[in-house]
Amino acid sequence: PCASRRSPKGEAGRGAATAHEKEIVFYCGCGRIRHLRTGGPEAFVILNLIMRLRGTTLAWILAVGAVAGCAVTVYLPSMSGGFVYDDVPYVVANSAVASPSLRAVFCDAFPPGRKDTGLYRPLLTLSYALDRRLTAGSADWTVVAHAHNVVLHAMVCVLILVLLARKWGLAGAFAGAMLYAAHPVLTESVAWVAGRSELLLGLWAVVGALVAGSPGLKSWKRAVLSATCSLLAILSKESAAILPLAWVTVAWVFRSDSLRDILIELLPSF
């Protein structure tokens, strides 16, 4: 909780507030943390506080909560939507979603019987089947399917926060993750159930980037984890085949190792 009061105009002393500024007192647990002056929108209060509390657990809690909250809040209206356009052939009428089996999920095209599409997405099919199984195909199916997308989006945003913080600090990472969480270019991927392939791809892409950019991992662990992320990503969407190249770039930027060593470690992901 926080309490705020408008500072008196003409207040004397260092850092005196103007009539348009607010002095905000933050409380955590049993005591006051500090006074924080801000003249901008309330949305910047969290960013300012993170900058003041950098390096503390509370700063991370605030950042993660705000990023996840933004990602969920922006797309809450999508949960009242139904199945539209490609949702029908890829989800509703998908026989592998209604009756999943190893053969239908892993040995057939996506959706089954449509080899002309050139798509192979077994992990995506399993995620749709999970939605249907949880609701038994009832009217709640659409709500759960959209909620699944929103949760995946929030997870990706939080992982982006963690990734960026390793290079640019928590404050810079917070700004980047918030921008990603609310950016309109992601609307189709999150609000459209059939767009979940991009969300799953993004999830494994960021996890793989965290693995590639972590300097403390042993080489064999990095090789195994990056190969696993690559496999899961490509089972979600075919365009994941280029992810290892992106991970090499991330590792080269985030680590001090030579490009040769990075390529050798990430070779299994190719």
Side-chain angles (χ1 to χ4, degrees):
C2 69
S4 65
R5 65 176 177 84
R6 188 171 296 280
S7 298
K9 187 174 182 179
E11 178 181 341
R14 179 181 178 275
T18 68
H20 300 290
E21 289 181 328
K22 294 179 181 179
E23 184 181 50
I24 299 175
V25 184
F26 288 86
Y27 293 86
C28 178
C30 60
R32 183 176 67 185
I33 296 176
R34 67 183 66 211
H35 289 266
L36 174 66
R37 298 189 186 279
T38 174
E42 298 294 344
F44 288 99
V45 172
I46 296 178
L47 177 58
N48 289 332
L49 186 58
I50 288 172
M51 293 175 67
R52 299 289 183 89
L53 299 175
R54 58 181 177 271
T56 65
T57 302
L58 178 58
W60 271 101
I61 292 174
L62 286 171
V64 170
V67 168
C70 176
V72 171
T73 303
V74 168
Y75 290 101
L76 272 180
S78 70
M79 294 177 63
S80 61
F83 292 122
V84 296
Y85 303 114
D86 284 352
D87 293 344
V88 177
Y90 290 168
V91 183
V92 180
N94 191 331
S95 60
V97 172
S99 301
S101 65
L102 288 177
R103 178 180 177 82
V105 174
F106 289 97
C107 300
D108 208 339
F110 177 82
R114 290 286 306 277
K115 294 183 178 180
D116 57 299
T117 63
L119 303 179
Y120 180 71
R121 301 174 180 179
L123 195 59
L124 178 63
T125 301
L126 289 175
S127 74
Y128 291 148
L130 175 62
D131 296 342
R132 184 183 176 97
R133 181 64 60 88
L134 289 174
T135 60
S138 66
D140 294 333
W141 184 12
T142 58
V143 178
V144 171
H146 283 291
H148 195 158
N149 277 24
V150 174
V151 170
L152 284 173
H153 176 55
M155 291 172 61
V156 173
C157 292
V158 171
L159 289 173
I160 287 176
L161 173 73
V162 175
L163 177 64
L164 296 181
R166 293 183 175 179
K167 187 67 176 178
W168 292 286
L170 185 56
F174 176 76
M178 288 289 280
L179 176 62
Y180 183 86
H183 202 289
V185 76
L186 300 169
T187 301
E188 182 177 294
S189 300
V190 184
W192 189 23
V193 177
R196 189 179 300 172
S197 56
E198 282 83 8
L199 298 175
L200 289 171
L201 170 60
L203 177 65
W204 301 119
V206 182
V207 172
L210 285 167
V211 170
S214 299
L217 279 179
K218 294 183 179 180
S219 296
W220 70 268
K221 287 184 179 180
R222 197 189 318 276
V224 171
L225 291 174
S226 63
T228 302
C229 289
S230 181
L231 176 63
L232 292 172
I234 207 166
L235 292 178
S236 302
K237 192 171 183 179
E238 306 78 18
S239 55
I242 65 170
L243 278 181
L245 294 177
W247 293 339
V248 168
T249 304
V250 170
W252 183 69
V253 172
F254 281 61
R255 291 158 51 194
S256 57
D257 299 332
S258 67
L259 184 59
R260 175 180 175 276
D261 291 339
I262 291 172
L263 287 171
I264 292 175
E265 286 183 348
L266 297 180
L267 186 62
S269 65
F270 285 85

